[in-house]
Amino acid sequence: MNLVPYDEWRAGAPDPAFSEWLRSGTEPEWTAVVGHPFAASITRGDVADDDMRRYLIQDFQFVDSFTALLGAAVASADSFESRVPFGRFLGETATTEEKTYFHRALAALGAVPADLASPDLEPVTADFRALMDEARTSLDYPAILAVLCVAEWSYLGWASRAEEPLPESFVHREWIDLHEGPVFRAWVAFLCGELDRLGPELDEEGRLRVFDVFRRAVRLELRFFDMAAGS
């Protein structure tokens, strides 16, 4: 793929935001993620229990790495104003609501404690955790933002496609709710806004470095849904 440099791209783009440059540069993979058949099945509530259990068990394996990545964002952000939303999200969502959901949902789907504590990792799960850990240890704030933004923005992308009424089963309904609504939209807007603020100030090498991380994360999201769908 020939990526158009950001300065050249934004001159003719209807939305010149740096985050949009990152997103559009990953097509068609981005659209494949947010429109993935497995994600669509979640919004309809018709994922088979065995498939949903496997998906959530693997997704739960990101909780620790994701929490650590949020901590790295707090440490590496360039201002107090930027640190606060990460700390708030870490305390209110990542370590409470979402973790509680995993335990309730997986219990309802017949998982046992060992499934959460020490499952066999799918290759894509191991690769995605490695990318999170790579970004965390780099303490490179734009790179950390890139991984977080893909994880949250892409999930908002598919969850926002859910139609009312939402699925009756809390396993599907609450998973959608965790990735939709005013609070989550504001969180995604903050992540995109941070990239939009910092990206134009980077030199070309720095922008390409952030794009590479963003693209790797998008491709991993697509592989993860493919794994969940058994393909």
Side-chain angles (χ1 to χ4, degrees):
M1 181 189 69
N2 294 319
L3 180 69
V4 179
Y6 174 65
D7 285 335
E8 180 182 340
W9 172 86
R10 70 176 174 178
D15 179 359
F18 185 74
S19 58
E20 178 58 21
W21 175 71
L22 294 171
R23 188 208 63 77
S24 63
T26 64
E27 291 291 4
E29 289 97 337
W30 180 274
T31 295
V33 172
V34 300
H36 199 282
F38 187 86
S41 292
I42 296 174
T43 66
R44 296 191 303 268
D46 59 14
V47 181
D49 285 355
D50 287 349
D51 293 338
M52 194 68 181
R53 181 172 62 247
R54 182 179 69 252
Y55 163 72
L56 289 177
I57 286 171
Q58 293 297 312
D59 202 288
F60 183 73
Q61 305 314 306
F62 298 130
V63 169
D64 183 59
S65 293
F66 188 79
T67 301
L69 191 60
L70 289 169
V74 174
S76 62
D78 59 346
S79 71
F80 174 77
E81 290 74 19
S82 293
R83 298 183 208 279
V84 170
F86 292 110
R88 182 182 300 120
F89 187 83
L90 183 59
E92 294 179 358
T93 304
T95 58
T96 52
E97 294 179 26
E98 191 158 331
K99 192 170 183 180
T100 298
Y101 163 80
F102 274 115
H103 286 282
R104 290 188 297 110
L106 284 168
L109 291 169
V112 298
D115 291 329
L116 280 72
S118 56
D120 292 331
L121 295 185
E122 296 285 347
V124 64
T125 307
D127 290 346
F128 215 149
R129 289 208 317 196
L131 179 61
M132 290 183 182
D133 292 343
E134 176 188 324
R136 172 182 57 82
T137 56
S138 75
L139 287 180
D140 180 342
Y141 185 45
I144 291 169
L145 283 169
V147 178
L148 291 172
C149 193
V150 169
E152 304 293 61
W153 194 7
S154 66
Y155 266 52
L156 173 62
W158 68 257
S160 65
R161 297 185 176 198
E163 298 180 357
E164 297 288 348
L166 294 181
E168 191 171 309
S169 168
F170 85 90
V171 172
H172 305 95
R173 185 183 66 254
E174 291 188 20
W175 191 237
I176 297 166
D177 286 341
L178 279 168
H179 300 102
E180 224 314 47
V183 173
F184 193 75
R185 286 178 176 269
W187 166 240
V188 172
F190 164 72
L191 295 173
C192 290
E194 286 291 273
L195 284 169
D196 296 342
R197 176 176 67 86
L198 296 172
E201 300 176 358
L202 298 173
D203 60 21
E204 192 61 27
E205 181 180 350
R207 292 170 184 170
L208 290 175
R209 182 179 69 252
V210 174
F211 176 76
D212 177 66
V213 173
F214 193 96
R215 179 174 55 186
R216 289 162 63 193
V218 170
R219 288 175 174 175
L220 285 165
E221 291 286 5
L222 182 55
R223 283 179 56 200
F224 195 76
F225 273 141
D226 284 346
M227 173 278 299
S231 58

